[in-house]
Amino acid sequence: MKRFIGFLKKEFYHIFRDKRSMLILFGMPIVQLLLFGFVITNDLKDVKMAVVDHSKDEYTSEIINKITSSGYFKLVKNLDGIAQVDELFRKGETKLVLVFEPDFGQNLIKGSKASVQILTDASEPNMASLEVNYLQGILQNYNLEINRGKIVPSQITPQTRMYFNPNMESVYMFVPGIMATILMLVSAMMTSISIAREKEMGTMEILLVSPLRPLQIILGKVTPYLFLSFINALVIVGMGYFVFGVPVLGSFALLMAESLLFILMALSLGIFISTVSDSQQVAMMLSMFALMLPTILLSGFIFPLRNMPVPLQIISHIIPPRWFIVIIKNIMLKGAGFEFVWKETLILIGMTAGFIGLSVKKFKIRLE
Amino acid sequence: MNSDKKVISVRNLTKKFGSFTANDDLSFDVYQGEIFGFLGANGAGKTTAMKILCGLSYPTSGEIMVAGLDVYKQREELKRNIGYMSQKFSLYEDLTVFENIRFYAGIYGMSLKDIKLKSDDLLKKLDLVHARNKRIGELPLGWKQKLAFSVAIFHNPEIVFLDEPTGGVDPVTRRQFWDLIYEASRNGITVFVTTHYMDEAEYCNRVSIMVDGRIEALDTPEGLKNKFEAKDMDEVFLRLARKSNYKE
């Protein structure tokens, strides 16, 4: 055990003395999070909006007033029907169309139920969903106002339709996405590079000749990154929550347990990569092309999987972050419990076991 | 030869990679305190044999005892009793001199108190006291090499394996390096060294020359020169190497 602690100490020296490692470890998650966060949660201001008012009563004009006076939206056009909507969207003349049903006011008061349709140009999916959220907020406020002191509450039901991208991914996607990317990067890439460095420098042979067991060496290499990755996971979730208001609706413990599992998976992948690469450069290239790009492109982080060609969708099944993103999205944003993510969890466990198995096998071949 | 106690005893060591035989029926002994030179052209099988002796690789067949221990069955004990320095330089550049010593001595289970005492002596001897807290990367190559050797024998092994330890080092530093090897040998540490510098072969007590995976000659440098009627080890080596069937 004393030997192992000595080994750990040395690993931490390596990490803390290498500026590049430190930057990747602590600079990158924060910068990425801030970048993505602020790019996506750009405040709304004067979004162009058109209105189709089939009712034209005091309620609809009051609602329109409320919306335009919020400063978020700007009325650019009054339309007679929705026939022109598609063209307007394509020309970019409006980003949003609000459609009031006929007799909106009547329905709201007498029938206590009125519906309004929100049509958005979702070719910029994140903006579109943000706009809808803002609009719904305004509608809800108005709804509360008119309900004050009433026995039978009235209900405005907004119906949203996204043009061009009907299956919108959530605006909060970037937190799960960045979490997967960073954990993958720190765990898999940095461990594989650090093990490959020992091989390249010839120190691995010395370690193997020493009384340290191979398992101790590997654990010693991996433990610091396990620890640091976990801190990263906490930082990302924490920043998401406090800076961007991304909620954790489900169990926090489950979220952290799943993150730990993903870190273990990434670490075993890193070990596997290091067994097939003899130099830091090879390890870096492998991690970059085999891990980073698929993580960003094929995990559903930025580009929705549904819209991809079928072959790419099939390939995405072997990309571990794909499953992890589903898991944390469900836990964080939908508040799902373990019963909803056990399948994905099982897949990650299987992958972890697979990578460990492959590494052990590779390692034995080397000894023979 | 300081002793007739066998520290390495190899009988019929064979190592095959598929159909290629890297080590073909090697048998030899190395005695305590001896400096044993293990020579051969590139690809002759030196490194393979050395790795087997260190427990880094398994032989296909043969009986091998190192430090009185069986390399098959007693690997873990064996590892405590050997030191190793590879041709690639092997201290951590981003750790200081003392941190390197502490790390390597630590993995051999030495106590921190012993490490401190012994490293002070060592640094005095090597004239490196001022560099105790400098990072290895800042030191000149010659010093690093000497330090690497000293670290390899820091835990007082019975035998130290040196795999082409003086590659890329200038002649003066090489000479100083060999002074350290002699000192270790005087202290009873057996030195098993591979090299392709023939002038270094002259420094060894005994030398074996491998050609195509077999030991073609094994004797003192003087004995070999007499036998082959050669003026130096270079000539001995060339005569033997010509027998090689190995084509690059």
Side-chain angles (χ1 to χ4, degrees), chain A residues 124-177:
Chain A
E124 288 172 75
N126 297 311
M127 288 308 282
S129 94
L130 201 63
E131 290 155 15
V132 169
N133 284 345
Y134 273 59
L135 261 186
Q136 285 178 339
I138 295 171
L139 287 173
Q140 213 158 7
N141 272 341
Y142 179 73
N143 207 355
L144 285 175
E145 252 171 57
I146 58 168
N147 278 345
R148 208 161 284 152
K150 277 175 75 175
I151 304 155
V152 186
S154 312
Q155 179 81 43
I156 300 177
T157 41
Q159 291 159 346
T160 308
R161 203 182 137 201
M162 303 280 182
Y163 273 63
F164 311 125
N165 181 7
N167 301 311
M168 276 269 309
E169 301 293 316
S170 163
V171 65
Y172 295 134
M173 263 309 287
F174 75 97
V175 169

Side-chain angles (χ1 to χ4, degrees), chain A residues 2-3 6-7 10 13-14 17 198-203 205-212 367-368, chain B residues 15 51 56-58 79-80 84 86 88-90 92 94-95 99 102-104 106-108 135:
Chain A
K2 225 180 79 193
R3 288 186 191 145
F7 195 98
K10 159 196 157 265
Y13 282 144
H14 285 323
R17 285 184 187 169
E198 299 260 6
K199 280 204 219 169
E200 194 179 321
M201 304 294 288
T203 45
E205 280 187 332
I206 312 283
L207 295 177
L208 287 172
V209 170
S210 83
L212 283 175
L367 269 186
E368 263 156 28
Chain B
K15 173 75 179 182
K51 281 195 166 157
L56 273 183
S57 166
Y58 291 110
K79 285 176 165 186
R80 283 170 215 281
Y84 176 74
S86 74
K88 288 188 202 159
F89 178 68
S90 50
Y92 293 99
D94 54 344
L95 300 186
E99 282 164 355
R102 190 179 59 192
F103 170 68
Y104 280 115
I107 60 178
Y108 280 94
R135 300 212 182 145

Side-chain angles (χ1 to χ4, degrees), chain A residues 22-38:
Chain A
M22 288 300 282
L23 209 65
I24 292 180
L25 269 174
F26 296 108
M28 191 131 86
I30 294 173
V31 169
Q32 275 208 14
L33 204 61
L34 289 176
L35 261 178
F36 275 99
F38 282 120

